[in-house]
Amino acid sequence: MKIRIFVMVLALSACIFSLSALQAKQETSANQSPIGNQSITLDVQNMTCAMCKITLKKALNKVDGVQNIDVDFDAKTATVAFDPNKTSTEAIIKATTNVGYPSTVRQSN
């Protein structure tokens, strides 16, 4: 009987310790301020047909860190969401240029 009680107390202590460690880890994570994604809108040249949109998306999807792409054929723009820890605006522009669609960052008015 005493051994059962000892084992139960030991197991309960281990659970309490695990919960405390998990709570401390969550508090540490909550206090960190991760850099969020960035988004840029590019003015894209040479888009003349529906295939251009597909080609542009394929090229941008190959850039490590690119997470979302919205190409607007009518406006001749591409809005790209990306992780700045993995890629840069320059790399994104280079990817569009390499497939025949030179681009520049759209300037806000």
Side-chain angles (χ1 to χ4, degrees):
M1 180 74 168
K2 289 182 182 180
I3 293 177
R4 277 189 176 170
I5 293 173
F6 176 74
V7 170
M8 290 172 64
V9 168
L10 188 60
L12 183 59
S13 297
C15 288
I16 291 171
F17 176 76
S18 295
L19 287 174
S20 297
L22 179 61
Q23 183 179 8
K25 184 177 179 180
Q26 287 175 339
E27 287 173 1
T28 301
S29 295
N31 291 333
Q32 294 174 347
S33 57
I35 295 176
N37 293 336
Q38 289 183 355
S39 182
I40 56 170
T41 300
L42 302 173
D43 287 316
V44 183
Q45 299 175 29
N46 301 339
M47 285 202 299
T48 58
C49 67
M51 281 302 295
C52 297
K53 180 177 177 175
I54 294 167
T55 303
L56 194 58
K57 277 189 162 189
K58 281 185 179 182
L60 289 169
N61 274 320
K62 290 179 183 178
V63 178
D64 187 37
V66 169
Q67 298 173 338
N68 191 39
I69 305 158
D70 181 33
V71 178
D72 185 337
F73 175 73
D74 294 327
K76 308 287 191 249
T77 63
T79 302
V80 183
F82 64 98
D83 181 344
N85 294 315
K86 294 183 179 179
T87 194
S88 64
T89 300
E90 293 79 16
I92 292 169
I93 290 171
K94 183 178 180 184
T96 67
T97 302
N98 287 346
V99 292
Y101 305 98
S103 61
T104 55
V105 176
R106 174 169 272 194
Q107 301 300 315
S108 58
N109 295 333

